[in-house]
Amino acid sequence: MPSNQEAFFKLALAGVLALTACRSAPQPAPQRPLADDPASAVAADPWELLLSGRLDDARQTFHDAGPEGIEGRLALARIRRDLGEAEALLAGVAAHASDTLVLEAGTTAMELGLRTAPALAVARRACALASKPALAARAGTVCAKLALTEHAAGTNLCAAGCQDEHRLPLLFAANSPVVEISVNEHDPLLFIVDTGASTSLLTRSAAAALGVEAVAGTRHEVHGSTGTFPTEHALVEMALGGLRLSNVDVVLLELPYGSIAGILSPHTSLPGLAVTFDFPAAGLRVAPKAPSAGDDVALPLAFCDGNPLVFVEAEGRPTRPFLVDTGASATRFHERYDELGAPLPRKAETLSMGAGGGKRTSWRTDARFAARLGDLSFTLTNPTIVASGGEAERFDRFGLLGMDFMFGRRITIDPMAGRLLISREATLSPWKPGASARFAIRGSALPSPFTYEETVSEQRDGWVQIAARLASAQADTRFEFLMPDGWASRGTWLVTRPVASAWREEQGRREELDRKAAIGLLAKAFVPFKSLPGEARLEVLRARLDGRSLSCTETTLPAQGPAGEAALSLVECPSEPWRTARLRLTSGGTQVWELVREGFDDGREAR
């Protein structure tokens, strides 16, 4: 029987708007973490120091290198968003400077939004390099940003509510945070709040409906995690509750998600404001000042491609930059990071989907190991490995921390203090002993309907013990099992539960079951299927469960069922301990198989 969790296609917005390259050059060879040899700090390759998060050591080494270190100092100015350092360096770019230095300088000027005469002059020089094929893509991005800069006196400006605190409820799309935003004073639309996006985005269909037009001269190629796509920039007004923004820079690009009108890049579109994702409370806080750090881990705020990053050390691998990406459902390793340690076993091949409709191959793993982020230690569970694409960068992201790491935490981006705050513990919704959920299982492929019930027997030390009961008119099957309790395991269901041990009581005697035997007890209520390549649709639902309001997401994609082509839909509600609310397989208008939680209501008739 195929594992439908392995087959199910997981969507992720993994850094879909990485608009600029950090620094093109071959990667250094794998080596031991520099932390093992602190005396090597000054003598080491400064780019290696950057990759290891030793930014002060890298700056000194670049500075000691004289003119040869200017490109590195420019890259470091972007990483730290050090406007003073950038302006000083840009003013010194000589008329006879190399093309690569001019391009690095122009990229820095536009990424940091500098408008001084030297910054604009070097950006124009960088834009002129678009005539050279090898430099055209990166220079084209500079040209587009330059056209936007020369078109408007300023972008991403706070117009009202700038000194106030604003709290907005969070909805969820594919487990990523969503808020309602009014564009150009129209009715609110749904936007994913994506720290993995270096520029906000408005879909072309939403732009057409709102009458939004591109700014002349801003057409260029965007380089995302799943490909390269043509786009233009536009300027819009946005309102998030009482907070109003003018001249917000958005790129126009389609998304593969129905009901989502765009992406809000909080660190670029809300400049000078601290943004807190309070995932336990399902809220977004925007204010001039960040909340008290308390026991949160405070990390220096660093950037790559304009996106916030942190330096992660995973078991057996050196410290490397990882994107903090609220637009990604799951944590990911790039292949080149996986290659720095013992390769992780790849369990199933899937696809990652991004803006513009692009796709990239990735592989699911069953790995579980320790990782470190500053002085925060945590466990990485089932990271996805994603195929590396294009030429490697000298300073680049080696992966991303997705919502499986962030859900249950508070994350604050505090540009005024130059820090990123992360709560030490992930507080998931309580899965209390005695809590239970019942699911109805039915469909034309089953001889009779079933009821499946799970009740929490015990929960402690990262494990949960569940009593399971599968009942029908013909049989009543009961057993208990133990599984890891975490974000990933809560998203599994029925035959995909990661059972570590299982048993049942028979006439007062305990019978141990292996995972295959335990899952076999549930197989009679399951219909095998697999997902197929093709367009997926994502829709945000405002649903109810036993009278309570929930934010859920329905993902629908092509599938292969028992009788041929079918449509597979999964509804997940991230705030619930039982994340899966409904799984449905339909073919030719017939409901082949369905698992639905009792008490769940999305306000629509069964389809």
Side-chain angles (χ1 to χ4, degrees), residues 113 172 541:
F172 293 94
L541 303 177

Side-chain angles (χ1 to χ4, degrees), residues 211-547:
V212 173
E213 296 183 355
V215 174
T218 62
R219 185 173 179 82
H220 68 298
E221 301 284 321
V222 294
H223 310 282
S225 64
T226 56
T228 301
F229 311 98
T231 187
E232 303 88 30
H233 289 258
L235 296 174
V236 300
E237 312 297 307
M238 285 187 175
L240 294 78
L243 180 64
R244 298 188 177 275
L245 309 168
S246 63
N247 277 9
V248 179
D249 174 15
V250 296
V251 294
L252 303 180
L253 195 64
E254 213 51 67
L255 291 174
Y257 313 120
S259 79
I260 299 296
I263 292 172
L264 176 70
S265 172
H267 45 285
T268 57
S269 296
L270 304 172
L273 296 172
V275 179
T276 299
F277 298 85
D278 189 343
F279 290 115
L284 187 75
R285 177 188 183 272
V286 182
K289 186 177 180 180
S292 171
D295 191 43
D296 291 354
V297 174
L299 302 168
L301 189 56
F303 293 86
C304 180
D305 297 338
N307 304 324
L309 58 79
V310 291
F311 293 89
V312 174
E313 179 186 346
E315 189 172 87
R317 292 167 178 79
T319 300
R320 288 293 183 264
F322 270 57
L323 191 66
V324 179
D325 194 350
T326 56
S329 293
T331 293
R332 303 165 117 187
F333 285 2
H334 292 174
E335 278 186 298
R336 58 179 172 273
Y337 190 63
D338 185 46
E339 292 164 357
L340 294 181
L344 301 178
R346 302 181 182 189
K347 296 297 184 182
E349 183 174 311
T350 60
L351 291 173
S352 297
M353 202 165 182
K359 303 178 181 69
R360 179 169 290 181
T361 301
S362 56
W363 298 270
R364 190 180 65 81
T365 74
D366 285 339
R368 181 181 173 88
F369 47 82
R372 190 174 68 192
L373 187 58
D375 64 353
L376 172 63
S377 296
F378 61 100
T379 299
L380 269 175
T381 303
N382 308 131
T384 297
I385 301 170
V386 63
S388 299
E391 184 182 0
E393 307 295 338
R394 202 162 187 177
F395 181 81
D396 198 2
R397 301 156 297 184
F398 279 67
L400 59 86
L401 291 179
M403 286 297 295
D404 54 340
F405 167 77
M406 285 181 275
F407 211 92
R409 300 183 190 269
R410 293 181 312 280
I411 311 288
T412 298
I413 300 173
D414 185 2
M416 304 305 290
R419 62 181 182 170
L420 183 74
L421 302 176
I422 302 178
S423 58
R424 290 187 180 275
E425 300 297 330
T427 308
L428 296 174
S429 49
W431 213 346
K432 299 177 181 178
S436 65
R438 286 169 56 91
F439 296 84
I441 304 175
R442 56 207 174 205
S444 62
L446 294 177
S448 63
F450 290 82
T451 298
Y452 178 61
E453 183 172 7
E454 291 187 342
T455 303
V456 178
S457 303
E458 187 177 358
Q459 194 270 344
R460 62 184 174 86
D461 300 329
W463 293 86
V464 61
Q465 181 178 318
I466 290 179
R469 179 184 182 186
L470 180 68
S472 69
Q474 290 77 34
D476 190 343
T477 302
R478 301 174 188 238
F479 67 100
E480 291 193 65
F481 63 89
L482 187 70
M483 73 175 186
D485 180 21
W487 174 255
S489 59
R490 290 182 177 206
T492 59
W493 40 268
L494 200 62
V495 298
T496 65
R497 287 298 203 197
V499 174
S501 61
W503 60 93
R504 62 180 172 182
E505 301 290 337
E506 289 286 346
Q507 298 178 344
R509 183 175 59 87
R510 179 180 169 118
E511 178 190 0
E512 299 293 336
L513 304 169
D514 61 21
R515 182 184 187 279
K516 185 176 181 180
I519 296 304
L521 296 175
L522 304 175
K524 65 188 74 173
F526 175 70
V527 173
F529 58 82
K530 65 178 181 178
S531 62
L532 297 175
E535 292 301 318
R537 186 178 71 252
L538 181 149
E539 185 174 355
V540 175
L541 303 177
R542 291 177 176 84
R544 300 186 72 78
L545 179 64
D546 297 329

